[in-house]
Amino acid sequence: MANIFDSYPSAYLKSGDLQGRNVRVQIDRLTYEEVGREKERKPIIYFKGKEKGMVLNRTNANVIAQAYGPDYDNWNGCEIELFVAI
């Protein structure tokens, strides 16, 4: 089966990786890494048992902070659900 998302490989989690499913994950850690052509430093959130991290945009960071507080050191072990928003 041909999948367009396979045409755009990424070191980070992207919507196509979810294959249309909602996935419940447990936060492992948050790091800062240089991302993209511009090598811009961005927060990356990693999940227990998952290889790829997710670039944490402002919207997602705000949602997690509302649920678990703004100190991301306290997010380790917290659960969130990943889904594709259209």
Side-chain angles (χ1 to χ4, degrees):
M1 173 154 68
N3 185 330
I4 191 64
F5 296 114
D6 293 338
S7 300
Y8 305 98
S10 174
Y12 299 104
L13 190 66
K14 58 187 188 241
S15 62
D17 294 330
L18 298 178
Q19 300 176 345
R21 298 171 301 169
N22 292 4
V23 179
R24 193 160 209 52
V25 293
Q26 191 174 32
I27 297 171
D28 184 49
R29 68 191 182 282
L30 186 142
T31 64
Y32 283 84
E33 298 175 15
E34 292 180 352
V35 176
R37 290 185 205 151
E38 306 289 320
K39 296 298 181 193
E40 187 176 350
R41 193 167 152 85
K42 295 191 176 248
I44 310 296
I45 192 167
Y46 285 92
F47 309 106
K48 292 185 182 196
K50 306 294 180 191
E51 185 176 318
K52 290 184 177 183
M54 181 178 80
V55 178
L56 190 62
N57 64 29
R58 185 180 305 265
T59 300
N60 292 336
N62 286 336
V63 169
I64 296 170
Q66 286 177 356
Y68 298 116
D71 184 350
Y72 60 81
D73 285 335
N74 294 331
W75 297 356
N76 298 353
C78 294
E79 288 189 350
I80 60 172
E81 188 164 341
L82 303 177
F83 60 93
V84 177
I86 297 177

